[in-house]
Amino acid sequence: MAGEAELIAQLVATAGRQRRIALVLGSGVTGPEVPGVTEMLDLADRFVAERGENPYLAEALRRVRAAGGSPVETYIGYRREFTTWVSKQEFDIVMQHAVLNAYDQELTQWERISFQRGVQLENDLRAWTLPPGIAALGSLLARNPGRFNFRVITTNFDPLIEIAIRRAGGVARTVVIKKDAMIPDPPHDGVMVVHINGYWRPATALDDRSNLHDPSQLTADRALLTTSLAEHLREETVCLVGYGGWDDAVTEALRGLTADRSVDVLWALHGRRADSLPDGPGPFGAGKPVAYFEQVDSNRLFPALRRAMDTAPGPAMFAVGTPLRAAPAGHRVRQPLLEERIGAQRSAGELLRELDRGFGWRLEGAHRTVAPELLYWPVQLRQTNLIHTVQALVAGSLSASGMRVVLCVDDLNPPAHATAFRENLIGDIRRWFGLITGARPPEVVPLSEFHEPGRVADRLLDPAQLLRPTNTWAVEREYYRVHNLYDVLQAIKAIPEANGAEPDTHAAAVAARLGTTRAERLLSPPAIWAHLHHILLTQAPETVVTLGGDDEALMWKLWQAVWPEPVRHLYNPRLSHVRHDADLLTASSFVEVRDRLERTCEHPAWDAEGRYLHWLVHNALLLPADLRGEPLPMIGDRPLETWDQATAAIRDPRLRDRALTAIAREVSTLFLHEPA
């Protein structure tokens, strides 16, 4: 079978006929500088072990490994477990540091790479180690971009192709396809590098919180991308190098193109075909035959191709095709509000005490003789999740009992598409309030508006406003007389609590967490405290109750140490080993909730108090039913009224499926505002 020499000859001949060459490059071209899939899994294990914060995630990863499967299936499983137990962004750190294996300078361990930091590192062109093949390819593309239609398509998420082009004096533009979208037409003043499976850093300054690379996209149905690839590659000679041939968008596009014989496919295999591909029509199906080239090493191929192309006649400039239509913007379909139901009427004080005694919530600083009047609820701007749902139902119930609710939206560190996040968050909270009979909508105060410079200046000119520190500088001046920055870092959960950890282990965990924390979070506690001081100018402190999670208790302890006000604090129970951004707390359908419950019950100690299922049953099933006066779901011939009944039903093979389905149905109906 043909090898490297024959592939080079065919590519040079293709260029001589002025036929466009489309390069499709996979992970094989950047190794060993950028680790492959197996090494990525080892890196993920090391990341979890060194941070040492989540033994359940570590156990989940061990289970994925033990299940076997292909490296890509294991890779996808790892990404799923990171998302389930921590957040989508945590896996990005592992991916980023796999890429940074090719960067020669010393970096902070497990540093999260932002847009600005990523661009800074990429601009340090000489600090990157390039495989010989990539270096030669960069020179080839910089000198002859027209031969390749000013474009390279890659399944990789590293920047080595762009760096190689720029090192050679060329212009490289990065296009990132994270999910499903059309590919733009290439410019004629450089090379467009299209990363179809995401990129190693945020693509823009507004993209800092996005999911950079999702392994599940390797095998996802991406109709827009497949169509776009087919349009781009039509009538071209496609050369695949370092590409494994997964059942992905590239394979699907080429399957259609070879069927109608509108494309030539040259596939460079690192080994022999018998070891790489089965006999038969191959991954692209029947149609125009694919030309395979065995034992091709990209580190030999591209230097030799560059030398051959340098002596070949140059092609004419290719015309730009018809502009491709833009991908439609995605949106979430909202369901109508549930009808109002009849609920039990209690005083706010009685409800607070019931939460404390009956549902594991914690009420601190209770005043038996003073009725609560105002609930102060600070919420960080982020995607809504089940914790928001539970807190909103409690807040709505307290408003129905006569309390005024102030929703303080912490938008000082906004995510990308902050306006849409804000509208969704406020809209969801108002809808959850609507599930409580008699609830009054909350008063919404964005912190960014409260701390707008003009409003701060107006408060500083008002003598009545100076009775309390109502701006962040005044708050910080008083705070740092008593406490230090370390306490604030713990309050915003930027560093883990020691919890008896050895000093060296804790120090390593602190350093790792600091490297992945956005500094803007430091503004949140003083900004929230300043806003609360503004409220306390006209509201008696003993009538105010704050609402938050148990992991926010430290922030209010710091407040009390500096300003020992008789403010009360209500904390919902801590959910152990699940971060706020984890997929376990969100869902787009009943099926997703049901699947997550099933997977959760596969883990050891799934029935332990404080774990996901225990928290869910108490706070998203039993508590909402109590607050709304709703009947509980039936399991067999009796209602599911207690946690013990839930665990007994799940352990019973005859009732397990019905129990998990009933819990999932109640939770998804509540969270998604869908009719039961």
Side-chain angles (χ1 to χ4, degrees):
M1 184 174 283
E4 282 177 12
E6 290 79 6
L7 175 58
I8 292 168
Q10 190 152 340
L11 289 171
V12 171
T14 297
R17 295 195 306 271
Q18 297 192 2
R19 182 175 173 88
R20 296 172 294 188
I21 299 172
L23 286 177
V24 178
L25 307 179
S27 60
V29 301
T30 56
E33 273 66 33
V34 176
V37 172
T38 301
E39 292 81 4
M40 281 275 289
L41 300 177
D42 294 337
L43 187 64
D45 288 336
R46 183 158 65 86
F47 172 78
V48 174
E50 290 183 4
R51 297 190 70 161
E53 299 171 29
N54 200 321
Y56 301 113
L57 173 58
E59 173 61 26
L61 297 183
R62 283 192 291 271
R63 290 165 64 89
V64 172
R65 287 264 199 172
S70 69
V72 169
E73 289 170 339
T74 305
Y75 187 48
I76 293 172
Y78 262 50
R79 173 66 166 78
R80 182 187 65 238
E81 296 300 341
F82 266 80
T83 300
T84 297
W85 291 101
V86 188
S87 75
K88 299 176 181 178
Q89 286 74 35
E90 295 299 297
F91 194 82
D92 287 341
I93 299 175
V94 177
M95 178 271 292
Q96 287 181 325
H97 282 265
V99 170
L100 288 170
N101 187 68
Y103 187 75
D104 296 336
Q105 304 301 314
E106 187 173 345
L107 296 168
T108 303
Q109 187 180 36
W110 305 122
E111 174 186 358
R112 187 190 297 277
I113 306 301
S114 65
F115 167 73
Q116 291 84 0
R117 178 66 165 145
V119 171
Q120 177 191 31
L121 295 175
E122 288 178 15
N123 288 338
D124 190 8
L125 297 178
R126 296 296 168 185
W128 294 83
T129 299
L130 299 179
I134 288 292
L137 176 63
S139 176
L140 180 61
L141 292 169
R143 296 183 197 179
N144 306 286
R147 296 183 188 272
F148 302 93
N149 200 19
F150 308 94
R151 175 247 294 126
V152 174
I153 294 167
T154 179
T155 59
N156 297 345
F157 37 76
D158 61 76
L160 298 192
I161 299 172
E162 289 94 324
I163 288 169
I165 294 169
R166 291 167 187 151
R167 254 196 213 177
V171 176
R173 291 179 172 82
T174 300
V175 172
V176 181
I177 310 294
K178 287 186 295 185
K179 292 187 178 179
D180 192 18
M182 306 291 278
I183 300 172
D185 285 329
H188 277 184
D189 59 347
V191 179
M192 183 175 73
V193 184
V194 183
H195 296 263
I196 63 172
N197 288 334
Y199 197 46
W200 82 288
R201 62 158 173 83
T204 69
L206 299 177
D207 210 21
D208 270 0
R209 291 181 178 275
S210 65
N211 174 26
L212 305 179
H213 166 66
D214 186 351
S216 65
Q217 295 298 333
L218 292 170
T219 56
D221 182 12
R222 304 163 79 184
L224 290 173
L225 178 59
T226 299
T227 300
S228 183
L229 281 168
E231 290 298 322
H232 272 263
L233 302 179
R234 193 176 301 279
E235 305 302 330
E236 296 192 14
T237 294
V238 179
C239 180
L240 302 114
V241 183
Y243 171 70
W246 314 118
D247 191 10
D248 60 4
V250 174
T251 303
E252 186 63 27
L254 291 177
R255 186 175 291 124
L257 292 173
T258 56
D260 64 16
R261 298 178 173 268
S262 64
V263 68
D264 294 316
V265 178
L266 313 179
W267 193 336
L269 304 175
H270 190 264
R272 295 189 178 277
R273 185 185 178 191
D275 301 327
S276 306
L277 298 166
D279 292 333
F284 304 145
K288 197 170 186 178
V290 174
Y292 294 102
F293 300 85
E294 294 183 330
Q295 295 185 307
V296 176
D297 187 332
S298 61
N299 288 325
R300 295 191 303 261
L301 171 68
F302 290 126
L305 182 61
R306 179 189 60 188
R307 292 190 295 269
M309 287 258 183
D310 283 346
T311 59
M317 295 289 284
F318 294 109
V320 179
T322 304
L324 299 175
R325 61 185 177 86
H331 64 279
R332 182 179 175 186
V333 178
R334 298 291 181 179
Q335 299 295 332
L337 293 177
L338 295 176
E339 296 180 358
E340 290 187 348
R341 310 290 177 91
I342 297 174
Q345 185 64 38
R346 289 158 285 203
S347 72
E350 290 171 339
L351 178 54
L352 288 170
R353 289 189 290 273
E354 184 177 338
L355 289 166
D356 183 76
R357 292 193 303 264
F359 290 96
W361 291 53
R362 186 155 56 90
L363 181 64
E364 289 190 347
H367 283 256
R368 295 187 179 277
T369 59
V370 179
E373 297 176 2
L374 185 142
L375 184 73
Y376 183 69
W377 182 22
V379 175
Q380 184 184 350
L381 183 60
R382 59 176 9 134
Q383 181 183 1
T384 51
N385 59 43
L386 275 169
I387 295 176
H388 294 126
T389 308
V390 172
Q391 291 181 348
L393 292 174
V394 167
S397 298
L398 289 169
S399 78
S401 299
M403 292 185 71
R404 170 185 162 211
V405 178
V406 175
L407 174 64
C408 172
V409 180
D410 178 4
D411 57 354
L412 298 178
N413 179 25
H417 312 297
T419 300
F421 268 83
R422 187 181 297 107
E423 290 175 355
N424 283 343
L425 176 66
I426 296 172
D428 283 338
I429 287 173
R430 284 175 173 160
R431 277 185 281 269
W432 288 319
F433 267 58
L435 300 180
I436 304 296
T437 300
R440 294 174 295 174
E443 301 172 26
V444 180
V445 180
L447 274 184
S448 60
E449 293 182 9
F450 177 77
H451 289 288
E452 191 273 326
R455 298 190 182 190
V456 173
D458 289 341
R459 291 198 296 273
L460 292 175
L461 295 175
D462 183 355
Q465 296 281 336
L466 300 179
L467 297 174
R468 283 182 175 272
T470 61
N471 65 79
T472 52
W473 168 243
V475 165
E476 288 172 343
R477 184 176 57 193
E478 294 190 32
Y479 170 83
Y480 285 112
R481 292 175 181 170
V482 179
H483 290 289
N484 55 41
L485 182 60
Y486 185 88
D487 295 326
V488 173
L489 289 169
Q490 279 196 307
I492 65 172
K493 291 159 274 190
I495 57 178
E497 298 179 26
N499 289 332
E502 293 295 326
D504 289 345
T505 303
H506 183 59
V510 168
R513 184 77 72 83
L514 284 177
T516 65
T517 298
R518 294 169 61 93
E520 299 97 312
R521 291 280 314 281
L522 291 170
L523 296 173
S524 291
I528 291 170
W529 294 338
H531 182 234
L532 180 55
H533 275 297
H534 176 72
I535 290 175
L536 295 179
L537 286 169
T538 56
Q539 185 77 38
E542 59 270 22
T543 66
V544 175
V545 180
T546 70
L547 173 62
D550 190 67
D551 53 356
E552 292 163 344
L554 177 58
M555 183 181 78
W556 292 113
K557 286 181 180 178
L558 298 177
W559 153 279
Q560 291 287 359
V562 183
W563 301 281
E565 308 275 5
V567 173
R568 285 170 269 190
H569 308 285
L570 178 66
Y571 304 111
N572 68 275
R574 184 188 297 262
L575 177 55
S576 64
H577 299 99
V578 178
R579 292 267 291 275
H580 282 241
D581 292 331
D583 267 10
L584 277 176
L585 298 176
T586 64
S588 60
S589 68
F590 156 76
V591 175
E592 281 190 10
V593 178
R594 178 65 175 78
D595 177 65
R596 287 166 187 166
L597 286 175
E598 189 72 49
R599 286 167 47 205
T600 298
C601 290
E602 295 173 358
H603 288 270
W606 61 266
D607 56 348
E609 290 192 11
R611 293 289 297 271
Y612 172 70
L613 191 58
H614 177 266
W615 186 93
L616 199 71
V617 169
H618 269 281
N619 293 278
L621 180 68
L622 302 180
L623 176 59
D626 180 81
L627 295 175
R628 300 167 61 201
E630 286 285 303
L632 289 161
M634 300 292 292
I635 304 298
D637 59 352
R638 60 185 303 175
L640 197 162
E641 296 178 319
T642 67
W643 167 242
D644 288 340
Q645 288 177 352
T647 54
I650 294 171
R651 291 192 187 100
D652 188 337
R654 299 167 301 171
L655 299 177
R656 175 189 175 92
D657 185 69
R658 276 186 285 175
L660 293 178
T661 298
I663 295 170
R665 179 66 66 192
E666 293 295 317
V667 172
S668 62
T669 298
L670 187 70
F671 181 67
L672 299 172
H673 319 288
E674 295 177 339

